[in-house]
Amino acid sequence: QRARELMPEETMFVQIELDLLPKHLSPARAEAQLDGIYTQIERGDANADICFGFVSAVMQLAQKGRHREKLLRQALDAAMAGFRAAPLLPDDRKLFRVMELSLREMLAGRKPTVEILYRCGLGHLATAAKQADPMAIVLSRTTSFRRLDAAA
């Protein structure tokens, strides 16, 4: 939070905080905090960082089984909002598209496959990955410090 106070315009810190919510708060408290962020997303006031952080946090909560369908629908809304937002890095729209297609598969009761990565122009991530879950692969690429990594 100190970083957010020093640089309020830097949304990367919001992304980091969102990613950490499910790890350090009870599911009920994390969901309550995410509800406020979801309102921003619905209003169109969230950029790519916030959408990435929200999807990451919601996916962590959905794995715990609380309100899974509601959370997956909110993550889908966030992925689509992130796709519409101005990209912060070149592959942002492709990453959000993978999230969208993966979430649609999950909501339909199917397991997403790496084929989604190929369909979205990110086949190179599938070949380099040690896992077959496209959502996990993409979320690992949207780490909190992704913009710092890209600048290096």
Side-chain angles (χ1 to χ4, degrees):
Q1 275 207 324
R2 178 83 173 123
R4 284 182 59 196
E5 291 170 10
L6 294 173
M7 297 175 65
E9 72 287 347
E10 183 51 72
T11 56
M12 176 179 64
F13 299 122
V14 177
Q15 180 187 1
I16 294 167
E17 186 176 323
L18 291 173
D19 185 57
L20 294 173
L21 282 178
K23 295 174 176 96
H24 298 284
L25 295 179
S26 70
R29 286 191 57 207
E31 278 187 50
Q33 292 219 359
L34 289 170
D35 284 343
I37 299 297
Y38 184 65
T39 301
Q40 279 185 287
I41 291 168
E42 286 183 307
R43 285 193 317 249
D45 295 338
N47 72 3
D49 279 339
I50 292 171
C51 291
F52 279 133
F54 184 86
V55 172
S56 174
V58 165
M59 292 308 298
Q60 292 174 62
L61 285 174
Q63 288 176 346
K64 295 179 180 181
R66 282 182 55 97
H67 311 117
R68 185 175 190 276
E69 187 166 336
K70 172 195 159 210
L71 292 169
L72 292 178
R73 289 194 185 287
Q74 288 181 341
L76 177 59
D77 291 343
M80 293 187 325
F83 183 87
R84 290 188 302 270
L88 299 172
L89 290 175
D91 282 343
D92 280 359
R93 285 203 167 100
K94 291 177 182 179
L95 294 169
F96 281 119
R97 184 72 174 138
V98 170
M99 290 178 175
E100 177 191 348
L101 295 176
S102 296
L103 286 159
R104 288 186 187 283
E105 288 293 300
M106 289 179 216
L107 285 164
R110 296 184 296 266
K111 184 177 178 179
T113 66
V114 291
E115 176 188 276
I116 291 172
L117 292 166
Y118 289 99
R119 288 177 28 209
C120 295
L122 294 172
H124 65 283
L125 296 181
T127 59
K130 294 179 173 80
Q131 54 192 327
D133 178 3
M135 183 63 93
I137 293 167
V138 165
L139 287 174
S140 73
R141 302 294 295 183
T142 61
T143 60
S144 306
F145 297 105
R146 68 193 186 92
R147 284 193 286 150
L148 297 176
D149 293 340

